[in-house]
Amino acid sequence: MVHYIKLFFTWQYPDIHIFIFREAFLLDFFHAKTNSSYCSKELIFAICSFGCLLTDDPSRKSISFKFFQKARELCFHNYYKPSISLLQSFLLLGLYEIYNGRNESGWFMSGIAMRMGYSIGLQLSPTDLMSDNAKGALGNKIRSRIFWGTYLVDHLIGLLLGRPSSLKMNDSTIEETIELPDIDWMHEYSFQDKDRKRVKVLKIGDPLRATVSLMDLTESMLKEVFNDKQTNRKKKSVELHEKLIVVKKYNSKILKWRKDLPTELLWNRADLEKLGSDPTKLTFKLLYYIVLLCLNRPFLNLKSTENFPNYQYNFSRICSNAISDLAIVIRKFVQTYGFGKCSTLI
């Protein structure tokens, strides 16, 4: 199991699975105690179900679904006892299902995770929690990382499946996530360069805050652009005209998001050539392109009109540029590490 856990944290943790706080999980994993806050049997099995898929041994890959089944069995056996580790397990299982094309099951299990978060008050600042024990046990900084990581996945699932998110910014009082220190002996559970000579420190704080603000845009974007309640055919042309104005507005907002990033997070196509094989620096960039494609791709085949003579060209240009950048990243990564180590977002 340790081998699969290493593979998960090396290749998948830098992706969108940062709702599992690596240091807290590993400390509890190697120093087992009763009623551990951040490690449980179901979470271990869920993590191993992902780690199996990253091994180079085909016979071991087949064990992945067995780990998934065991984790699922334990989750539904313990669902009446909400906890952080159980929430993380349900969310991992939901993502596992979605990654394998079983969207309805994935939507169901990730939904349980979100509601469990509300049940344990994960979205609340320690000062808003009723129990003094809860304040001390959860650890505000760790809870913050877990909540905002969960918030990110919730909105990404909503975007990809075209469904409303569960976690709302207005319902949360917990502070923004910050950088937390690495622990030296955990470096073997971290991504390293090709020659395994240099450990890549995963900076999560600033990229996660930036990504949360990007995913917040998608919630209103889904409502305004893709929530079509009009059924009267006579209104279709007017509705399309209005919708294209909204699409243009959101394209501007997304581009402004990128322009306003902190200097250390800005990138261009040349940077992608250099960073394309480093998963610790790609997540928020990949999400940016995914959001752009989700917004613009549905309108590629519309014909130009008198009011919008060039909009088809604009949609095509935006999508083509995004695809060209993504091709650089994917090609660079696969050439360096092989297709089997690709992150979930890739």
Side-chain angles (χ1 to χ4, degrees), residues 67-114:
F67 277 124
F68 168 83
Q69 289 177 309
K70 185 61 178 179
R72 182 177 58 186
E73 176 187 336
L74 289 171
C75 281
F76 283 106
H77 180 74
N78 297 317
Y79 78 95
Y80 60 91
K81 297 184 291 186
S83 67
I84 283 181
S85 62
L86 188 58
L87 176 157
Q88 294 167 323
S89 302
F90 267 115
L91 191 50
L92 267 185
L93 295 180
L95 289 171
Y96 186 99
E97 290 286 67
I98 291 171
Y99 300 159
N100 285 281
R102 297 183 287 270
N103 290 344
E104 294 307 317
S105 176
W107 173 253
F108 172 69
M109 283 193 280
S110 63
I112 293 177
M114 304 310 168

Side-chain angles (χ1 to χ4, degrees), residues 21-41:
F21 182 51
R22 176 182 55 197
E23 284 72 11
F25 169 83
L26 290 175
L27 285 171
D28 279 3
F29 177 75
F30 286 109
H31 302 86
K33 55 186 177 182
T34 306
N35 298 325
S36 169
S37 297
Y38 307 111
C39 181
S40 63
K41 288 182 179 180

